[in-house]
Amino acid sequence: MSDTPGCVYHVPMPIDDDHACTRGLNPSSGDARMKQHLRDSRSYTVGPMPVEQFIEEFLPPVPAERRNAILSSKSAFSRIPHGAPTPAEIFRPLLDALNKSTKRKSRAPGLVFENASARSEQPHEPGFMKPHICCYTVANAEAVRDTPITSRADLGYAELFIEIKPDVFLDFFVDPPSDATAEALAAHEFVARYGNDKIKARVDRSFGQHIMYTTEILARQHRTFVFSITMAGSSARLCRWDRSGLIVSRSFDIRERPDLLCDFLARFACASNTKRGHDETVEMATSDEETLFRDTVTQHVQEQLGVEGDALAQAIVEHYEPGHVMVMHVHTVDLKNPDRAGGTERFLVSRPVTVPLYVSGRCTRGYWAVQLGTGRVVFMKDTWRLPGDQEGTVISELNAAGVRNVPTVLTHGDVYFKAPPAQKKLTLSGVQRTKTEHYGMQSWACPVLKVKVAVSTHIHYRLVVSEAGYGLERLRGTQELLSATYDVFHAMRDASDKVSRIHRDISVGNIILLQEVEGAPRKGYLIDWESSDKLDEHGLALDHARTGTWKFMSMKVLEYPEKGHTLQDDMESLLYVILYCSLLHLPHDVRNPETLHSFIHNFFDYSSFGFGRLHGGDAKLANAHNRNWMQRVKFSSENITDWLNTVMNYHFPPRHLRREWADRWSNPDYLDTFWGAFLERRELEQDDAVRHEVEKPVGAIRTLEDSQVPFVPPPHSKTDGSATSLPSQQPAAATLRKRPRRASTNQPLRRSERLRISQLAPHTTHEHHGDDPARPSKRSKTR
């Protein structure tokens, strides 16, 4: 996994339920992921940064004692054509130039450049493709050669990569004139626009693939940032990617200015691991530590699942890959004095349960970890937080107040390049943090889609909690679904009542199941409090931004975000979580996979953009009025049907009960009383969970041109004045846009824009009644 001291390469990735492939990286969804990455990039791309400034600010000079080991840049790339029909005609001579060496000198000492694109079963298909050129250390290049071409080790070991388009005409970006005035820069559109749809599709596909490579390197290595190079013909741009976004340099011709690329590569080769973007707070475990990890995790799996033999071995694979156990350092805060350092603790980790498959944002990895010293299994969250309260501080407050069914904080802290001594006052100096946000307002930064891009700071952070369980999607049946989510409801109420805080991201991914009593239903825990917020005296979140997981957002949060998030919005989200899990994991009569996919997509995922904002929730609104969506599915369990109908009626009463039940939702006591009585009185199914196949409808065949099609540039001008295929530089208003939260085809869509209000449709009626328990008794203040 590593040949370089302080670096860990080619780390394990989460696997899907069948253990067949990496979760979220199924090649069948490669094209959709690529398009989504491309859409997201427009909200976090900053450029064009002057090339000399890029090199000076992001890489230290070559040390004087190593300058004699660097080849001269004179005519270094003279054999590279200005353009060619295919990328191969550029990257083959480029590889020769990059790997050129003498007995004592080379272009990038200690590094080699290899054609990674040839190491693929289907080198022109998204999900299978690899970069044209990957840069490795010498030992890592050998390790890659020893892997089968089906492996993604190329990206697990890459130091940087180069992606090539055959002609300058295919550049995704377009620079302003070098002598442009401040006014012209503020009006210049940085992303190229093409009149020819085929060329646009090819350009988009190429840069979308570039982003996919970056995403995979960030997932397969422990990185603080990644460098890459994008080329169009003989013109190159330098790129720096971190968890806030992308900084792109101006374009330069490597034939005319070979010194720029040579200087960048020489500095990169001579830079420390940290300056190359590696996180050195992760290191390989010893063989004894690996044995401890394997044995401890095995015991924990047995306790949680009660399995033996082959089933146990399969379950262990989710958390452990032999030969791939690492030590992760946590620079802790003193829990009694949170402004002081508490020292450093070491935890063993192996295969994560989740990794980020996108570039910017919190980009959380989650692990079952073993705490060295105690030998206990805990949960480690490695993330890039926003400025403000640390999640561990928030959960510690919940723990101190006695909030039920939330994780127990063991330790937490920001990640520093060098651990601060114990009891030192903590500051952000020396912490691992992003840099992209510092450049969005520079004079050279041009608008993207008519607005100047501004992104948020992200700070590397680790949190360790006691509870290591399984996700809600692993439920065993109706009883466990309703029991565990009732536990979560208690957590929501306690947090609201005891510390005036709401979660704001109630979702399937933020609920875990933990076996605490053998033979009893697993307890539900509400995790991930990073998006939570304090409530004002009116019960409204102080931050009115739309926050949460799109699938499960309430109707009001989707359409009226400015009105503020309330406990009732979180209650509605919990209702949608239970409906969603019922559709995917409980028996019902919707057996056609495409029909089920359509139901889920239209009810939970559908969105549209108009009038400057994202809209959604139409199906939720329609179902609230007349239950037309609930009528489309019949569950085998009468219990889950009755529960869903009753709670939907509490949320949105039928017309004839609207006055009598006016406070059924605003007063959580009603739901609490009904739910508790339902669990106590009903004989709920314990092992009725099933696995429904959900398939997307067959769509049109993809027809995008790709790198195997020779490129012939269209004419650069037309005499008749009609639109050409050239990228255009159209004026753009220099207004400010904050980066929206990522959208993903494989994970719930999160949004936190401040958006305009649009009105809901007028109310209609529905007839479902469900159960109607007696009015609840007054809730104790000490609960």
Side-chain angles (χ1 to χ4, degrees):
M1 284 178 61
S2 174
D3 81 303
T4 307
C7 290
V8 174
Y9 295 93
H10 196 37
V11 300
M13 296 281 282
I15 52 178
D16 62 16
D17 293 340
D18 294 329
H19 298 180
C21 65
T22 300
R23 185 183 305 150
L25 289 182
N26 192 316
S28 65
S29 62
D31 196 58
R33 293 199 311 275
M34 178 194 69
K35 292 175 181 177
Q36 187 60 59
H37 285 316
L38 193 66
R39 288 190 291 269
D40 291 346
S41 71
R42 287 167 165 83
S43 62
Y44 62 63
T45 299
V46 177
M49 188 176 189
V51 183
E52 293 88 344
Q53 183 183 353
F54 185 103
I55 296 171
E56 286 293 331
E57 295 206 11
F58 297 140
L59 285 169
V62 175
E65 65 273 16
R66 300 194 65 180
R67 290 174 188 164
N68 289 336
I70 307 298
L71 284 172
S72 167
S73 64
K74 185 177 180 181
S75 301
F77 306 112
S78 59
R79 293 181 58 203
I80 311 302
H82 286 293
T86 65
E89 294 170 70
I90 294 176
F91 70 68
R92 285 170 183 158
L94 179 59
L95 278 169
D96 292 339
L98 294 174
N99 288 318
K100 182 179 178 180
S101 65
T102 64
K103 187 174 181 180
R104 294 186 176 84
K105 295 185 178 184
S106 63
R107 191 75 62 209
L111 301 177
V112 293
F113 299 84
E114 300 213 342
N115 175 9
S117 63
R119 287 180 34 83
S120 174
E121 289 180 298
Q122 301 181 53
H124 304 290
E125 289 296 316
F128 291 96
M129 295 168 68
K130 297 178 182 179
H132 291 119
I133 297 174
C134 278
C135 170
Y136 309 107
T137 64
V138 174
N140 283 347
E142 289 294 332
V144 170
R145 293 183 199 119
D146 289 339
T147 62
I149 63 172
T150 54
S151 167
R152 305 295 289 178
D154 314 70
L155 297 168
Y157 286 105
E159 296 290 333
L160 60 76
F161 69 93
I162 305 173
E163 185 67 5
I164 296 164
K165 297 172 286 292
D167 195 279
V168 68
F169 192 86
L170 297 174
D171 194 348
F172 186 75
F173 303 103
V174 57
D175 292 336
S178 57
D179 59 351
T181 64
E183 183 179 2
L185 288 171
H188 178 84
E189 176 62 44
F190 186 39
V191 173
R193 297 178 179 180
Y194 291 85
N196 184 302
D197 288 342
K198 284 189 176 181
I199 294 177
K200 180 182 184 303
R202 183 166 184 170
V203 172
D204 286 354
R205 173 189 170 96
S206 178
F207 192 66
Q209 195 64 46
H210 193 114
I211 304 171
M212 289 180 74
Y213 301 145
T214 304
T215 300
E216 210 168 330
I217 289 175
L218 288 167
R220 294 184 182 275
Q221 301 182 32
H222 288 280
R223 290 289 203 136
T224 56
F225 61 88
V226 171
F227 286 116
S228 69
I229 300 170
T230 177
M231 292 185 62
S234 60
S235 296
R237 295 183 187 272
L238 308 178
C239 304
R240 183 187 183 277
W241 309 77
D242 65 22
R243 293 310 192 178
S244 280
L246 162 66
I247 301 174
V248 188
S249 79
R250 287 186 72 96
S251 176
F252 63 98
D253 193 312
I254 64 173
R255 292 167 53 95
E256 299 172 6
R257 292 295 309 272
D259 56 305
L260 294 176
L261 181 56
C262 288
D263 187 27
F264 171 80
L265 293 174
R267 289 179 182 231
F268 183 83
C270 296
S272 67
N273 297 326
T274 298
K275 294 295 184 181
R276 288 187 193 174
H278 292 281
D279 177 8
E280 295 191 283
T281 67
V282 184
E283 61 189 13
M284 291 303 299
T286 66
S287 59
D288 288 344
E289 288 170 336
E290 177 168 349
T291 299
L292 171 65
F293 180 87
R294 182 197 63 211
D295 294 346
T296 308
V297 167
T298 299
Q299 181 180 350
H300 192 67
V301 170
Q302 288 175 308
E303 293 170 353
Q304 290 299 307
L305 298 182
V307 294
E308 298 288 347
D310 291 343
L312 175 61
Q314 285 286 89
I316 292 170
V317 170
E318 294 183 50
H319 306 286
Y320 167 59
E321 182 173 334
H324 292 73
V325 176
M326 298 152 282
V327 178
M328 192 170 284
H329 295 248
V330 177
H331 304 145
T332 68
V333 303
D334 186 327
L335 294 180
K336 295 181 179 178
N337 300 289
D339 62 337
R340 299 283 174 176
T344 301
E345 287 199 48
R346 300 167 75 241
F347 296 84
L348 300 175
V349 300
S350 183
R351 188 186 301 282
V353 296
T354 182
V355 295
L357 297 178
Y358 47 93
V359 171
S360 67
R362 291 188 172 97
C363 301
T364 299
R365 301 177 197 247
Y367 299 90
W368 277 19
V370 172
Q371 185 177 29
L372 284 169
T374 66
R376 63 187 292 193
V377 174
V378 297
F379 189 80
M380 161 86 73
K381 181 176 182 177
D382 179 86
T383 190
W384 290 79
R385 70 177 182 89
L386 293 167
D389 291 339
Q390 296 173 331
E391 185 182 1
T393 302
V394 171
I395 301 178
S396 293
E397 180 188 27
L398 301 177
N399 294 158
V403 174
R404 293 170 289 175
N405 308 326
V406 297
T408 307
V409 173
L410 291 178
T411 190
H412 69 107
D414 291 332
V415 182
Y416 289 80
F417 289 106
K418 184 178 180 181
Q423 294 307 305
K424 179 180 179 181
K425 186 174 178 61
L426 291 172
T427 68
L428 291 179
S429 176
V431 77
Q432 294 182 5
R433 61 192 300 180
T434 55
K435 289 187 176 182
T436 303
E437 67 275 11
H438 299 309
Y439 297 94
M441 295 297 105
Q442 294 292 312
S443 60
W444 45 260
C446 294
V448 175
L449 297 185
K450 300 184 179 181
V451 289
K452 196 138 181 174
V453 173
V455 297
S456 300
T457 298
H458 285 82
I459 301 164
H460 200 182
Y461 173 73
R462 290 180 181 139
L463 166 67
V464 182
V465 297
S466 297
E467 294 77 12
Y470 286 91
L472 182 61
E473 72 278 1
R474 303 287 284 273
L475 61 94
R476 292 168 178 150
T478 301
Q479 181 190 47
E480 194 165 69
L481 173 60
L482 293 180
S483 174
T485 48
Y486 188 45
D487 294 333
V488 168
F489 178 70
H490 285 153
M492 294 159 52
R493 289 209 69 181
D494 282 0
S496 175
D497 292 348
K498 295 179 179 181
V499 296
S500 295
R501 182 174 290 274
I502 57 171
H503 190 275
R504 298 201 305 166
D505 190 13
I506 304 297
S507 63
V508 171
N510 287 341
I511 299 172
I512 64 167
L513 303 169
L514 194 69
Q515 188 75 62
E516 296 186 338
V517 179
E518 186 176 354
R522 288 179 289 183
K523 179 176 282 190
Y525 279 83
L526 182 56
I527 63 172
D528 284 356
W529 288 80
E530 61 193 3
S531 297
S532 68
D533 196 24
K534 283 287 192 177
L535 298 171
D536 64 16
E537 65 274 16
H538 303 294
L540 299 173
L542 298 178
D543 177 14
H544 285 194
R546 183 164 66 181
T547 300
T549 298
W550 187 265
K551 286 179 186 290
F552 309 111
M553 285 182 187
S554 72
M555 294 184 295
K556 191 196 78 179
V557 171
L558 288 171
E559 288 298 313
Y560 292 91
E562 292 85 355
K563 288 190 173 181
H565 207 122
T566 66
L567 174 62
Q568 285 67 34
D569 292 308
D570 276 3
M571 290 164 54
E572 186 179 340
S573 293
L574 188 59
L575 166 61
Y576 297 141
V577 165
I578 295 169
L579 174 60
Y580 182 81
C581 287
S582 300
L583 289 167
L584 285 182
H585 305 296
L586 297 182
H588 53 68
D589 64 350
V590 183
R591 295 184 178 87
N592 184 298
E594 290 188 9
T595 302
L596 184 57
H597 173 271
S598 180
F599 186 115
I600 290 172
H601 171 75
N602 287 300
F603 193 94
F604 295 100
D605 297 324
Y606 178 78
S607 64
S608 61
F609 194 86
F611 302 101
R613 56 158 296 172
L614 196 70
H615 300 267
D618 292 351
K620 293 174 182 176
L621 178 62
N623 189 68
H625 290 315
N626 54 39
R627 302 293 187 269
N628 61 340
W629 286 85
M630 280 297 292
Q631 292 169 8
R632 302 181 188 189
V633 57
K634 182 178 180 180
F635 292 98
S636 301
S637 168
E638 291 184 4
N639 289 314
I640 196 65
T641 301
D642 290 346
W643 189 94
L644 287 168
N645 282 333
T646 299
V647 177
M648 287 179 181
N649 287 343
Y650 277 21
H651 171 237
F652 206 101
R655 176 173 292 179
H656 69 281
L657 291 174
R658 202 161 292 169
R659 180 174 299 177
E660 181 183 352
W661 285 17
D663 61 346
R664 281 291 198 274
W665 202 248
S666 60
N667 181 358
D669 286 338
Y670 285 105
L671 181 57
D672 201 343
T673 300
F674 160 72
W675 206 336
F678 192 91
L679 292 175
E680 182 178 346
R681 298 170 185 171
R682 293 292 186 106
E683 187 174 339
L684 302 176
E685 297 83 355
Q686 296 185 23
D687 297 299
D688 60 332
V690 296
R691 180 176 178 181
H692 291 288
E693 295 296 328
V694 182
E695 295 181 3
K696 295 182 180 180
V698 178
I701 297 175
R702 183 168 48 83
T703 58
L704 294 178
E705 290 194 66
D706 54 37
S707 58
Q708 64 185 320
V709 180
F711 177 73
V712 179
H716 284 198
S717 63
K718 289 189 176 181
T719 57
D720 62 0
S722 61
T724 73
S725 300
L726 281 169
S728 63
Q729 302 177 9
Q730 301 189 10
T735 54
L736 181 67
R737 175 179 63 202
K738 278 287 184 183
R739 179 182 58 79
R741 298 184 189 273
R742 64 169 177 92
S744 172
T745 60
N746 296 296
Q747 300 185 26
L749 181 66
R750 296 188 175 194
R751 301 285 176 182
S752 61
E753 315 99 307
R754 302 183 185 276
L755 303 165
R756 294 191 302 181
I757 298 172
S758 69
Q759 294 191 351
L760 291 169
H763 289 232
T764 59
T765 63
H766 58 78
E767 297 299 330
H768 291 274
H769 299 267
D771 293 347
D772 179 21
R775 178 179 293 274
S777 58
K778 188 172 182 180
R779 190 173 187 235
S780 169
K781 294 289 186 182
T782 61
R783 185 169 180 175

